[in-house]
């Protein structure tokens, strides 16, 4: 499985999105059925897995080539704060509470929402925050990286 994922372009296994998880579940189900079902041949499982990988590979290529198709298949980033003003309508649409937004802002080292130049809910679910302060300029961390950083320091 890992070799197939590497061959088809997924170079960071820790960055799996929802589509990749579904693909892995489908492949595991197809291979499991080939191993314990009526057709217990290894070739049947390999063919089922390859067909699913090729379908996913083709879908990724189409998404890369056609931005309109990509916007149908994936969510677009959502601006939550712009120039210190919170967009409550956008927060309701993406179901993020004010506490979650404030937590993400604090995790980025910013004390007040008014100091946020731009805060975006990214496609992968992370909240990116850019501050207006010169001292924090260029310091942009995702939630995952910040949590891992705390473990080691």
């Amino acid at each position: 499985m890992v070799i197939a994922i590497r061959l088809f372009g997924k170079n960071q296994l820790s960055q799996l999105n929802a589509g990749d998880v579904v693909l892995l579940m489908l492949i595991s189900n197809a291979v499991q059925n080939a191993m314990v079902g009526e057709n217990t041949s290894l070739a049947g499982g390999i063919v089922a897995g390859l067909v699913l990988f090729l379908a996913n590979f083709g879908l990724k290529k189409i998404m890369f080539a056609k931005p309109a198709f990509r916007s149908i298949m994936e969510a677009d980033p959502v601006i939550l704060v712009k120039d210190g003003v919170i967009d409550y309508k956008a927060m309701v649409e993406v179901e993020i509470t004010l506490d979650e937004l404030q937590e993400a802002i604090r995790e980025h080292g910013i004390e007040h929402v008014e100091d946020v130049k731009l805060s975006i809910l990214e496609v992968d679910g992370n909240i990116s925050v850019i501050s207006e302060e010169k001292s924090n300029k260029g310091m942009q961390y995702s939630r995952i990286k910040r949590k891992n950083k705390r473990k080691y320091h």
Side-chain angles (χ1 to χ4, degrees):
M1 288 286 285
V2 173
I3 293 169
I5 290 172
R6 296 270 186 207
L7 288 174
F8 285 98
K10 180 52 84 177
N11 56 8
Q12 293 180 353
L13 292 175
S14 65
Q15 299 278 329
L16 293 177
N17 62 26
D20 295 330
V21 172
V22 170
L23 174 70
L24 287 174
M25 289 178 13
L26 287 171
I27 290 172
S28 65
N29 187 31
V31 172
Q32 179 260 340
N33 288 339
M35 290 173 30
V36 297
E38 294 177 17
N39 180 8
T40 58
S41 69
L42 179 62
I46 291 173
V47 168
L50 280 176
V51 166
L52 289 168
F53 269 114
L54 289 173
N56 184 52
F57 183 73
L59 189 65
K60 297 272 183 182
K61 289 292 184 185
I62 293 170
M63 287 172 57
F64 182 74
K66 307 282 184 188
F69 183 69
R70 181 176 51 240
S71 68
I72 292 170
M73 296 300 290
E74 288 185 345
D76 294 325
V78 177
I79 296 174
L80 302 174
V81 179
K82 185 172 184 179
D83 297 325
V85 178
I86 299 173
D87 186 350
Y88 290 101
K89 184 179 175 186
M91 289 178 55
V92 169
E93 287 177 12
V94 294
E95 298 178 353
I96 291 191
T97 64
L98 184 59
D99 291 335
E100 291 172 326
L101 177 64
Q102 289 174 336
E103 177 186 353
I105 290 170
R106 286 189 303 272
E107 285 178 349
H108 286 77
I110 302 170
E111 195 171 338
H112 302 287
V113 176
E114 295 80 22
D115 297 331
V116 175
K117 182 176 180 182
L118 191 64
S119 177
I120 300 174
L121 176 65
E122 303 292 351
V123 175
D124 64 357
N126 289 326
I127 298 176
S128 298
V129 179
I130 301 170
S131 73
E132 292 182 350
E133 295 178 17
K134 292 179 181 178
S135 63
N136 286 340
K137 202 169 191 174
M139 291 178 58
Q140 302 170 28
Y141 302 103
S142 70
R143 290 177 144 186
I144 296 169
K145 290 180 184 174
R146 294 270 306 174
K147 287 181 181 176
N148 288 342
K149 208 171 195 180
R150 285 186 197 135
K151 288 181 186 176
Y152 301 115
H153 294 293

